[in-house]
Amino acid sequence: MWLTPEEVSLASPLWVEERGNPFFILQRRKGHGRGGGFTGLLVGTLDVVLDSSARVAPYRILLQTGDSQIYWSIASGSCRKEITAHWEWLETNLLQTLSIFDNDEDITTFVKGKISGIIAEENKSKQAQEEEDSGKFREAELKMRKLFGMPEEEKLVNYYSCSYWRSRVPRQGWLYLTVNHLCFYSFLLGKEVTLVIQWTDVTQLEKNATLLFPESVCVSTRNTEHFFSMFLNINDTFKLMEQLANIAMRQLLDNEGFTADRLLPKPSKILKNVSALKRDLDARAKNERYRALFRLTQDERLDGHTDCTLWTPFAKMHVVGQLFVSNNYICFASREEDLCHLIIPLREVSIVEKADSSSVLPCPVSISTKNKMTFLFANLKDRDFLVQRISDFLQRTPDRMWSDTSLSHQLSLPGQSASSSLPSSSPGGADSSQGKCHYHPNLPTAMQGLLHIYQRDAPEDLGPKATKEKMKEESWNIHFFEFGRGVCMYRTAKTRELVLNGIPESLRGELWLLFSGAQNEMATHPGYYGDLVEQAMGRCSLATEEIERDLHRSMPEHRAFQNEMGIAALRRVLTAYAHRNPGIGYCQAMNIVTSVLLLYCTEEEAFWLLVALCERMLPDYYNTRVVGALVDQGVFEELTRACLPLLYEHMQELGVISTISLSWFLTLFLSVMPFDSAVLLVDCFFYEGIKVIFQVALAVLHDNMDALLGCSDEGEAMTILGRYLDNVVNKQTVSPPTPHLHALLTSGDDPPPEIDVFELIKSSYERFGSLRSDVIEQMRFKQRLKVIQSLEDTAKRSVVRAIMTESAFSIEELEELYCLFKAKHIMSCYWEASSTAAERHDPSLPYLEQYRIHLGQFSQLFGALGPWVCGVHTPTLAARLFRLLDQNKDGLINFKEFVTGLSGMYHGDMTEKLKLFYKLHLPPALCPEEAESALEATHFFTEGEENKDGGDGGGDGDGEEKKEEKVKDYRYYLRMWAKEKEPKKETIKDLPKMNQEQFIELCKTLYNMFSEEPQEQELYHAIATVASLLLRIGEVGKKFNNNTSKKPEPNAPAPLLSKAEPDKEEWNGEGGSGQSQVCEALAEAQLESPDEEAKDDMSVSSYSMVSSGSLQCEDIADDTVLIGCGEQRRGSMLDGDWAITFEQVLASLLTEPALVDYFEKKRDIQAKMAACKAQRGIERQTSSSSDHELAQHSV
């Protein structure tokens, strides 16, 4: 690369001069290239340890300045090819011009100006991301790609100096963290260490400190552990590793590659030597923490944060904390936890102004909202900039945002036209009043919760429970008066106290919306739910079928779901969400949670609460593999081991924890605890998050510790916990008692005493209230690696079990093939810019069909694993096999189809192998571009259809009888359909005949298959014999067909194989005599036509045959013509009467022992798979530099 000219000293012992002229010198750094002795070895080692190669490339060009020892460096190169290109450009473009100048100063000024101009021109064409990255970082990225053979698409995130412990010996080198790989390189005194690990292979990532490995990072895969230590800042490095591993796990889960977030704000100050991707990941991490802290939507982007104070009128004091500003919100969090939290949506802001500054209140900013609340922030460092940013965001906020308080009364009626053609699936009386609408604001469930609908006619209760409920409502009203109501409410320790004491039923829906953040999403998407219902209802899918099956299982004990109104509302909400998020669709347990939401909320509110649950508060809980619930199950086990170690060991022996916790977390205890008690846990969950569920679960185990320690089996432990939870009661509820089905089924003669749910919640906070959300997130990451990798292993075993009976490969071989196949699929997520890998991955399909690859990936696997290697002809053969395996013609094949093809080549008997080989030269494997005539195959299928038609026709008198049968017996068609679906065993007689064009293609393939075989000459002789025999058989068949049908035209000459330019061909002597016989046979056999006697001038002696050394597959394809047609083969019409059958091919090949031995030879796929694995799953680029240069990590 060209460098900005800098002065350097010529007298340097680290450089060796390689070229020179009167104006320029090309130098090579010692330790790179060949030679150098001990000095070069030492320099190479220092370059790695001190990373001097990141600043000094191994080649450079200097501009000479007369007799001075101070020269100017103008170019550097990472390899000889690059520096040579620069040197040749200088010699071509500057040498003659420089000879005109009279003095050295003019030469120096001219060259420096010229080089600076070139650099400026190059910078114009560079991408924005490259411009952001520092020069040193770009050089490190180039070094990474060269060392590890990474393509341009693989982006370096950061690199660190560290030690890699190998056999208890630390190797100092450089750790490169890319988006998809962890790479390490070390070169010490001639010993090189290279390590590449895909993030998708990482099963565990730990930071620990032991006596052997002081403060190290352990990266575990399925097979081994790798230790790295001596980092300058190990915490930052480990956090970045966690982020990259998390992205990889998300890729395994969702099959989506990493993409930079273009919506993130640009940093005001670009840090030196930090890549744009690293800044992007840091911004993502901050965004995730910000969104989780304030329960904001996934599209919210943090713009910045600053320290400040907030005046709290309820406490008459200034609270120290941080102010956060994003594109739609202004948020505040106190430094002391739970002291004060505040969320101000910009849609609610009416005025932002700078207040008068004083010594008591420096740099204040006042923010007023539409509901007459004013918030005063002070001690702001850059008040003017903050006010300007808020003003900018306010200008982008839509003016037509609806207020939260009046949203439910202003919903517009969804368009009639969109739903006019959809059948109504809600036959309830209220729904049927609007014939063309599935959902409208006049529905009872669109205006209030189901609980309110069924209790409005009940007589007023004046008992002590009702009085207690009224007192709770009054407490909340006082809280609203002091702290505000709605999204802008101050959230303090007092708020948490009120939540723990139970939310009144009349306020439950409102506060759930507020604490979950669903109210913000609903306010910014008016009418969204109604439109979604109209789009979703009436459509049939796997999700809707599962929803219909579970509708009547959703709280059947509650009267609200014992009639069509509640069932219809539940159907609409679940169907709308499945349509919104097809990645999740519907999962069991969603119906139970949603039915509880509908009791206290309107349909639209319940829908947005479900969105908040599935997409933010319980991430990945309700996907097809309930990954989130399994992750939290692992976290719960880890917490049990830390908090209740004695009980943990005993329960692990019984295997109880994994059994019980899944249902607890998936349904938030709603399925295992009486409804009136469990709903209080849901109150706490919406305010505190998942930590409450962990706390209560630990409290349940603690309360039953003695009984559980005395259990001898899993069933006994399950019974103890089940009966305990059945008797957790809410003595303050005012709702009519709801029977708990689980309690009815598990109750015994002597039920345990009742447990007050408020006491359970209180004890959970007292014993385990120290749990922190950030600690839980850290534990979730650790468990997510284990869970997802465990699920991947399960998927692999399921696939292997499904096809092991249909394949002759061993279980170990199938597992290795699955890993290679899946790696190819995932690689398309890495490096294919226009990849549709996510579209090729459907988690709802069986494991066997989830991953699919396209032709390019299949060709690479075939070239690496296939036993039939045909040199340059291999991609063509791979494409034919791909078309043969791709039965549904979608351009993709799954693992089963892939193994079917390989198994036939490796483990079939000779007949099966030859049958597959024969099919590769017939349509659909042989595409029209390779063989224009597919006439025989067409006749084969057409004749079958004609025969069927003829057989069904019968006589004239059968028509009416058959017509009657159609009307009276539909089972006939069912039997026919079943017969069509039955797998038919293909015999050799079912294979179509092969025409002349297809036979030539088969001969070409055979010719190219034996170039690396030890019996090469014998095989070529055998091919020649078989080809001659088959051509004669085809001619005999043609004669027979002509004699039995019609006489052939006397003037139609038989095709003859020759070269278009015979004068260019030469014989290469004895070494290729066997190969030349193939072509002799192809020609001689065709001279036996009855017409040849009259055509002596067309004899084989008139044309030179293809030489033994030059006949390759492309020669026949491009240059061969069929004499008698007058045009090249591709544009000519072949002899349609010439044909051979598979039986004839098989019989001919059996006459040659060399060919029989070749096809019967058992081949081992293990060596080929080992070679594939040795490449570490990386598509290595072809480097022009020497192997020694590649080993020297030059940049």
Side-chain angles (χ1 to χ4, degrees), residues 1046-1073:
K1046 61 179 181 179
K1047 188 175 180 180
E1049 295 180 14
N1051 294 327
L1056 178 64
L1057 192 71
S1058 73
K1059 293 294 288 181
E1061 298 180 14
D1063 56 317
K1064 292 184 179 179
E1065 304 302 328
E1066 297 177 0
W1067 293 95
N1068 287 344
E1070 189 177 329
S1073 59

Short mmCIF file of all heavy atoms in Angstrom, two decimals, residues 1046-1073:
data_model
loop_
_atom_site.label_atom_id
_atom_site.label_comp_id
_atom_site.label_asym_id
_atom_site.label_seq_id
_atom_site.Cartn_x
_atom_site.Cartn_y
_atom_site.Cartn_z
N LYS A 1046 -39.44 -48.96 -40.39
CA LYS A 1046 -39.38 -48.36 -41.72
C LYS A 1046 -37.94 -48.32 -42.18
O LYS A 1046 -37.02 -48.31 -41.38
CB LYS A 1046 -39.96 -46.96 -41.70
CG LYS A 1046 -39.24 -46.01 -40.78
CD LYS A 1046 -39.87 -44.64 -40.84
CE LYS A 1046 -39.11 -43.68 -39.94
NZ LYS A 1046 -39.68 -42.33 -40.00
N LYS A 1047 -37.75 -48.24 -43.47
CA LYS A 1047 -36.41 -48.27 -44.05
C LYS A 1047 -35.74 -46.91 -43.86
O LYS A 1047 -36.35 -45.89 -44.14
CB LYS A 1047 -36.52 -48.59 -45.55
CG LYS A 1047 -35.17 -48.82 -46.20
CD LYS A 1047 -35.36 -49.25 -47.64
CE LYS A 1047 -34.02 -49.48 -48.30
NZ LYS A 1047 -34.18 -49.89 -49.71
N PRO A 1048 -34.50 -46.87 -43.41
CA PRO A 1048 -33.83 -45.58 -43.23
C PRO A 1048 -33.52 -44.91 -44.55
O PRO A 1048 -33.40 -45.56 -45.58
CB PRO A 1048 -32.55 -45.97 -42.49
CG PRO A 1048 -32.30 -47.38 -42.89
CD PRO A 1048 -33.64 -48.01 -43.06
N GLU A 1049 -33.40 -43.61 -44.53
CA GLU A 1049 -33.06 -42.85 -45.74
C GLU A 1049 -31.61 -43.14 -46.12
O GLU A 1049 -30.71 -43.09 -45.29
CB GLU A 1049 -33.22 -41.36 -45.49
CG GLU A 1049 -34.66 -40.96 -45.23
CD GLU A 1049 -34.80 -39.48 -44.99
OE1 GLU A 1049 -33.84 -38.76 -45.29
OE2 GLU A 1049 -35.86 -39.08 -44.52
N PRO A 1050 -31.36 -43.42 -47.41
CA PRO A 1050 -30.00 -43.83 -47.81
C PRO A 1050 -28.99 -42.69 -47.73
O PRO A 1050 -27.81 -42.93 -47.65
CB PRO A 1050 -30.18 -44.30 -49.25
CG PRO A 1050 -31.43 -43.61 -49.72
CD PRO A 1050 -32.31 -43.48 -48.54
N ASN A 1051 -29.44 -41.46 -47.78
CA ASN A 1051 -28.51 -40.33 -47.82
C ASN A 1051 -28.19 -39.78 -46.43
O ASN A 1051 -27.56 -38.75 -46.33
CB ASN A 1051 -29.07 -39.21 -48.68
CG ASN A 1051 -29.16 -39.61 -50.12
OD1 ASN A 1051 -28.32 -40.38 -50.59
ND2 ASN A 1051 -30.17 -39.11 -50.82
N ALA A 1052 -28.68 -40.40 -45.37
CA ALA A 1052 -28.42 -39.87 -44.03
C ALA A 1052 -27.18 -40.53 -43.46
O ALA A 1052 -27.22 -41.69 -43.05
CB ALA A 1052 -29.62 -40.12 -43.13
N PRO A 1053 -26.03 -39.90 -43.48
CA PRO A 1053 -24.79 -40.51 -42.97
C PRO A 1053 -24.82 -40.60 -41.45
O PRO A 1053 -25.39 -39.76 -40.78
CB PRO A 1053 -23.70 -39.55 -43.43
CG PRO A 1053 -24.39 -38.23 -43.56
CD PRO A 1053 -25.79 -38.52 -43.96
N ALA A 1054 -24.19 -41.65 -40.94
CA ALA A 1054 -24.12 -41.81 -39.49
C ALA A 1054 -23.13 -40.80 -38.92
O ALA A 1054 -22.16 -40.45 -39.57
CB ALA A 1054 -23.66 -43.23 -39.15
N PRO A 1055 -23.37 -40.36 -37.74
CA PRO A 1055 -22.46 -39.39 -37.11
C PRO A 1055 -21.10 -40.00 -36.88
O PRO A 1055 -20.97 -41.18 -36.58
CB PRO A 1055 -23.15 -39.07 -35.79
CG PRO A 1055 -24.56 -39.55 -35.95
CD PRO A 1055 -24.51 -40.66 -36.92
N LEU A 1056 -20.12 -39.20 -36.99
CA LEU A 1056 -18.74 -39.64 -36.77
C LEU A 1056 -18.06 -38.67 -35.83
O LEU A 1056 -18.15 -37.46 -36.03
CB LEU A 1056 -18.00 -39.69 -38.11
CG LEU A 1056 -16.52 -40.10 -38.04
CD1 LEU A 1056 -16.40 -41.53 -37.53
CD2 LEU A 1056 -15.87 -39.97 -39.40
N LEU A 1057 -17.39 -39.18 -34.86
CA LEU A 1057 -16.72 -38.34 -33.88
C LEU A 1057 -15.36 -37.95 -34.39
O LEU A 1057 -14.57 -38.79 -34.79
CB LEU A 1057 -16.58 -39.14 -32.57
CG LEU A 1057 -16.16 -38.36 -31.35
CD1 LEU A 1057 -17.31 -37.47 -30.93
CD2 LEU A 1057 -15.81 -39.34 -30.23
N SER A 1058 -15.08 -36.68 -34.46
CA SER A 1058 -13.77 -36.20 -34.91
C SER A 1058 -13.49 -34.87 -34.26
O SER A 1058 -14.29 -34.33 -33.55
CB SER A 1058 -13.75 -36.07 -36.43
OG SER A 1058 -14.52 -34.95 -36.81
N LYS A 1059 -12.36 -34.30 -34.57
CA LYS A 1059 -11.99 -32.99 -34.05
C LYS A 1059 -12.22 -31.95 -35.13
O LYS A 1059 -12.04 -32.20 -36.31
CB LYS A 1059 -10.52 -32.97 -33.65
CG LYS A 1059 -10.21 -33.85 -32.47
CD LYS A 1059 -10.87 -33.35 -31.20
CE LYS A 1059 -10.20 -32.11 -30.72
NZ LYS A 1059 -10.78 -31.61 -29.49
N ALA A 1060 -12.62 -30.75 -34.70
CA ALA A 1060 -12.90 -29.67 -35.65
C ALA A 1060 -11.62 -29.18 -36.31
O ALA A 1060 -11.64 -28.72 -37.44
CB ALA A 1060 -13.60 -28.52 -34.94
N GLU A 1061 -10.50 -29.29 -35.63
CA GLU A 1061 -9.23 -28.82 -36.19
C GLU A 1061 -8.23 -29.97 -36.13
O GLU A 1061 -7.39 -30.04 -35.24
CB GLU A 1061 -8.71 -27.62 -35.41
CG GLU A 1061 -9.66 -26.43 -35.47
CD GLU A 1061 -9.12 -25.25 -34.69
OE1 GLU A 1061 -7.93 -25.29 -34.35
OE2 GLU A 1061 -9.88 -24.30 -34.47
N PRO A 1062 -8.29 -30.91 -37.06
CA PRO A 1062 -7.44 -32.11 -36.96
C PRO A 1062 -5.97 -31.82 -37.11
O PRO A 1062 -5.15 -32.59 -36.64
CB PRO A 1062 -7.95 -32.99 -38.12
CG PRO A 1062 -8.62 -32.05 -39.07
CD PRO A 1062 -9.17 -30.93 -38.24
N ASP A 1063 -5.62 -30.73 -37.76
CA ASP A 1063 -4.20 -30.47 -38.00
C ASP A 1063 -3.46 -30.11 -36.71
O ASP A 1063 -2.24 -30.12 -36.68
CB ASP A 1063 -4.02 -29.35 -39.01
CG ASP A 1063 -4.74 -28.09 -38.57
OD1 ASP A 1063 -5.90 -28.22 -38.09
OD2 ASP A 1063 -4.17 -27.00 -38.70
N LYS A 1064 -4.19 -29.79 -35.64
CA LYS A 1064 -3.54 -29.40 -34.40
C LYS A 1064 -3.22 -30.58 -33.51
O LYS A 1064 -2.60 -30.43 -32.48
CB LYS A 1064 -4.42 -28.42 -33.62
CG LYS A 1064 -4.58 -27.09 -34.30
CD LYS A 1064 -5.38 -26.14 -33.41
CE LYS A 1064 -5.52 -24.79 -34.10
NZ LYS A 1064 -6.29 -23.85 -33.29
N GLU A 1065 -3.69 -31.80 -33.85
CA GLU A 1065 -3.56 -32.93 -32.95
C GLU A 1065 -2.27 -33.70 -33.23
O GLU A 1065 -1.82 -33.84 -34.36
CB GLU A 1065 -4.76 -33.87 -33.13
CG GLU A 1065 -6.09 -33.21 -32.94
CD GLU A 1065 -6.19 -32.59 -31.55
OE1 GLU A 1065 -5.58 -33.15 -30.64
OE2 GLU A 1065 -6.84 -31.55 -31.43
N GLU A 1066 -1.69 -34.21 -32.18
CA GLU A 1066 -0.47 -35.00 -32.29
C GLU A 1066 -0.59 -36.21 -31.39
O GLU A 1066 -1.28 -36.17 -30.38
CB GLU A 1066 0.75 -34.18 -31.86
CG GLU A 1066 0.99 -32.97 -32.75
CD GLU A 1066 2.16 -32.14 -32.24
OE1 GLU A 1066 2.74 -32.55 -31.21
OE2 GLU A 1066 2.48 -31.14 -32.86
N TRP A 1067 0.11 -37.24 -31.75
CA TRP A 1067 0.13 -38.42 -30.88
C TRP A 1067 1.25 -38.25 -29.86
O TRP A 1067 2.34 -37.86 -30.16
CB TRP A 1067 0.38 -39.69 -31.71
CG TRP A 1067 -0.77 -40.00 -32.62
CD1 TRP A 1067 -0.91 -39.66 -33.92
CD2 TRP A 1067 -1.95 -40.71 -32.27
NE1 TRP A 1067 -2.11 -40.09 -34.41
CE2 TRP A 1067 -2.76 -40.76 -33.41
CE3 TRP A 1067 -2.39 -41.33 -31.10
CZ2 TRP A 1067 -3.99 -41.37 -33.42
CZ3 TRP A 1067 -3.61 -41.95 -31.11
CH2 TRP A 1067 -4.40 -41.97 -32.26
N ASN A 1068 0.95 -38.61 -28.64
CA ASN A 1068 1.93 -38.44 -27.56
C ASN A 1068 2.63 -39.74 -27.21
O ASN A 1068 3.19 -39.89 -26.15
CB ASN A 1068 1.25 -37.89 -26.30
CG ASN A 1068 0.89 -36.44 -26.49
OD1 ASN A 1068 1.39 -35.80 -27.40
ND2 ASN A 1068 0.02 -35.93 -25.63
N GLY A 1069 2.57 -40.69 -28.09
CA GLY A 1069 3.34 -41.90 -27.85
C GLY A 1069 2.60 -42.95 -27.05
O GLY A 1069 1.40 -42.96 -26.91
N GLU A 1070 3.36 -43.83 -26.53
CA GLU A 1070 2.81 -45.03 -25.93
C GLU A 1070 2.08 -44.76 -24.63
O GLU A 1070 1.17 -45.47 -24.25
CB GLU A 1070 3.98 -46.00 -25.66
CG GLU A 1070 3.53 -47.38 -25.24
CD GLU A 1070 4.71 -48.28 -25.06
OE1 GLU A 1070 5.71 -48.07 -25.77
OE2 GLU A 1070 4.64 -49.16 -24.22
N GLY A 1071 2.49 -43.70 -23.91
CA GLY A 1071 1.91 -43.45 -22.60
C GLY A 1071 0.42 -43.27 -22.62
O GLY A 1071 -0.24 -43.54 -21.64
N GLY A 1072 -0.15 -42.80 -23.66
CA GLY A 1072 -1.59 -42.56 -23.68
C GLY A 1072 -2.32 -43.46 -24.63
O GLY A 1072 -3.41 -43.14 -25.08
N SER A 1073 -1.75 -44.61 -25.01
CA SER A 1073 -2.37 -45.47 -26.00
C SER A 1073 -3.73 -45.96 -25.53
O SER A 1073 -4.67 -46.07 -26.31
CB SER A 1073 -1.46 -46.66 -26.30
OG SER A 1073 -1.22 -47.38 -25.10
#
